[in-house]
Amino acid sequence: MTNLLINIDHVATLRNARRETVPDPIQAAALCEMAGADGIVFHLREDRRHITDRDVRLLHETVQSKLDFELSVNPEIVALCCELQPPLATLVPERRAEVTTEGGMDVVGQGARIRPVVEQLLEAEIEEVALFVDPDPAQVTAAAEVGANTIELHTGDYANAPTYAARQREAARLAEGARIAHDAGLKVHAGHGLDYTNYALFRETVPHVAEVSVGFAIMARAILVGMEQAVRDMRRIVHTPPPPSTPAARS
Ligand code: PXP
């Protein structure tokens, strides 16, 4: 079964838009957990545009399920992550002008910068250290070479594909990336842009996915139908196994 981890950054974005104290991402995380989330994800960005240091400390203290700390290779944030020792740390690229994380890490080109950070996180006894990468065989292989034990496949191109045929092609790329990662001994996670309607093809096509991280789609639905309903609806979809005849089930 694939686990559903829920990204609560979007709650903090809404709070910060009015320089308010509500909605509080800590309360959102608790509601997600009570509705059945398998874990909570946050990204502490260098510019602190959504999640703040206060949020990180409170999430660390209060989250009962699996906590995924997303971070760049920024030394100050890496040090904080090492101090808090979440069960999962996911390294992502960060560009200040971007609206959200755009594209995976360039592990092939930046391996020399990424390797020591992976080592530092593993030495801090963080059990799973993931690299967020595009489904590019070279990047996936490089992730294993720099010592990561997990990858998160970037599903943005899949989610944004303009046609169903294009989405099928992207699903096939993700499936190949997942197989290469699995064969290299890496645990496979995935995320970005996954939602209530595009998940089915992903589930049927991409094997070996232990966890997905979903944020925007759940928060967008929660505003209209409530957090509990939004989480339960996505959880049901993610926890449904691929039908036996599909490529993902046969892998
Ligand atoms: N995984 C990573 C590494 C991300 O940066 C994000 C976006 O914050 C997500 C997953 C979740 O993406 P979305 O909010 O589109 O579901």
Side-chain angles (χ1 to χ4, degrees):
M1 190 187 73
T2 301
N3 285 333
L4 171 63
L5 273 64
I6 301 186
N7 182 310
I8 42 88
D9 295 348
H10 307 282
V11 178
T13 299
L14 183 58
R15 173 193 64 188
N16 297 0
R18 286 282 297 258
R19 299 200 175 85
E20 273 289 355
T21 55
V22 291
D24 191 334
I26 315 306
Q27 292 177 333
L31 286 174
C32 288
E33 289 190 302
M34 284 190 272
D38 299 304
I40 300 296
V41 187
F42 68 85
H43 180 181
L44 183 66
R45 295 185 69 104
E46 289 172 29
D47 62 10
R48 309 297 199 268
R49 73 168 70 152
H50 39 57
I51 293 294
T52 64
D53 295 62
R54 167 264 187 201
D55 298 333
V56 174
R57 293 201 179 272
L58 287 175
L59 287 167
H60 171 68
E61 279 178 31
T62 58
V63 166
Q64 309 282 316
S65 57
K66 184 168 182 177
L67 192 61
D68 178 9
F69 189 145
E70 271 184 25
L71 70 164
S72 68
V73 294
N74 175 292
E76 175 216 344
I77 299 180
V78 172
L80 176 62
C81 186
C82 289
E83 179 198 327
L84 298 182
Q85 294 179 302
L88 167 61
T90 303
L91 286 167
V92 300
E94 223 174 88
R95 284 179 281 272
R96 269 177 200 251
E98 68 192 2
V99 176
T100 179
T101 310
E102 293 165 1
M105 300 190 90
D106 178 14
V107 193
V108 173
Q110 300 286 317
R113 277 183 77 204
I114 296 168
R115 182 191 294 274
V117 178
V118 170
E119 280 169 8
Q120 194 182 342
L121 293 165
L122 288 170
E123 272 164 24
E125 293 179 18
I126 294 168
E127 217 165 284
E128 287 176 44
V129 176
L131 300 182
F132 185 52
V133 292
D134 292 326
D136 169 348
Q139 297 291 353
V140 173
T141 306
E145 282 167 6
V146 299
N149 53 25
T150 306
I151 55 160
E152 181 177 336
L153 287 170
H154 185 6
T155 52
D157 287 342
Y158 167 83
N160 296 326
T163 63
Y164 191 70
R167 184 164 289 163
Q168 283 177 310
R169 282 195 295 277
E170 291 301 331
R173 288 183 67 214
L174 288 164
E176 193 197 355
R179 285 196 189 94
I180 293 169
H182 181 76
D183 291 347
L186 296 170
K187 208 173 153 208
V188 180
H189 298 171
H192 205 94
L194 294 173
D195 66 22
Y196 298 86
T197 50
N198 68 26
Y199 196 82
L201 176 64
F202 173 83
R203 174 181 55 220
E204 288 166 15
T205 319
V206 187
H208 308 305
V209 181
E211 290 174 12
V212 290
S213 159
V214 182
F216 186 78
I218 293 175
M219 297 311 152
R221 183 174 287 218
I223 287 173
L224 301 180
V225 305
M227 188 71 87
E228 182 174 354
Q229 185 70 48
V231 172
R232 286 194 193 288
D233 289 350
M234 195 70 209
R235 181 179 191 261
R236 194 179 327 109
I237 293 169
V238 170
H239 282 187
T240 301
S245 60
T246 56
R250 288 197 303 264
S251 271

